[in-house]
């Protein structure tokens, strides 16, 4: 998830640059772009790809990842709930993140 958050930084237009020669969207334009049908469709495709890949994780990794990332529990809380040590919970989370990053690294709308 962090990988995709970093990729959403600057949005570039595919058309000509603005009057200043800067092709980045102005904040108001960026907000409009986030509401465009293309952006909404792409976001929905990415969300579906993330869900698919999380569901494909081994059960122990999926459980740890969901408790930590979605339910925002600490690693100590995750360890307590899952009945494992904190180091095991941390390892499971690390493996889950690595797997998700590898599987989603080359994600492309329409291919995924």
């Amino acid at each position: 998830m962090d990988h995709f958050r970093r990729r959403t930084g600057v949005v570039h237009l595919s058309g000509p640059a603005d009057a200043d020669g800067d092709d980045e969207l102005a904040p108001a334009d960026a907000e409009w772009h986030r509401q465009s049908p293309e952006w909404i469709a792409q976001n929905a495709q990415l969300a579906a790809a993330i869900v698919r890949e999380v569901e494909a994780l081994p059960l122990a990794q999926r459980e740890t990842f969901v408790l930590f990332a979605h339910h925002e529990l600490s690693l100590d809380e995750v360890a307590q709930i899952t009945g494992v040590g904190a180091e095991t919970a941390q390892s499971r989370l690390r493996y889950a993140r690595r797997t998700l990053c590898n599987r989603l690294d080359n994600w492309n709308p329409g291919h995924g």
Side-chain angles (χ1 to χ4, degrees):
M1 290 186 177
D2 291 336
H3 172 77
F4 288 101
R5 286 186 189 125
R6 285 191 299 271
R7 290 178 57 178
T8 61
V10 177
V11 178
H12 295 280
L13 292 171
S14 58
D18 65 14
D20 298 324
D22 184 9
D23 64 349
E24 293 179 20
L25 291 173
D29 293 337
E31 187 58 36
W32 171 84
H33 180 75
R34 287 189 184 102
Q35 302 303 319
S36 73
E38 294 83 9
W39 186 89
I40 292 168
Q42 185 176 4
N43 230 22
Q45 290 173 355
L46 176 57
I50 291 170
V51 168
R52 220 177 13 259
E53 295 302 337
V54 169
E55 289 175 347
L57 289 171
L59 180 60
Q61 291 177 25
R62 181 173 64 238
E63 178 180 54
T64 300
F65 180 81
V66 169
L67 288 171
F68 184 82
H70 181 69
H71 295 287
E72 299 180 350
L73 299 177
S74 70
L75 276 174
D76 289 333
E77 292 170 319
V78 171
Q80 183 178 3
I81 289 169
T82 58
V84 299
E87 289 179 8
T88 300
Q90 185 175 16
S91 293
R92 288 176 178 175
L93 181 60
R94 183 175 55 249
Y95 289 131
R97 285 176 167 170
R98 183 178 303 146
T99 299
L100 292 172
C101 282
N102 288 338
R103 290 180 181 171
L104 294 167
D105 189 42
N106 294 318
W107 180 84
N108 190 357
H111 292 95

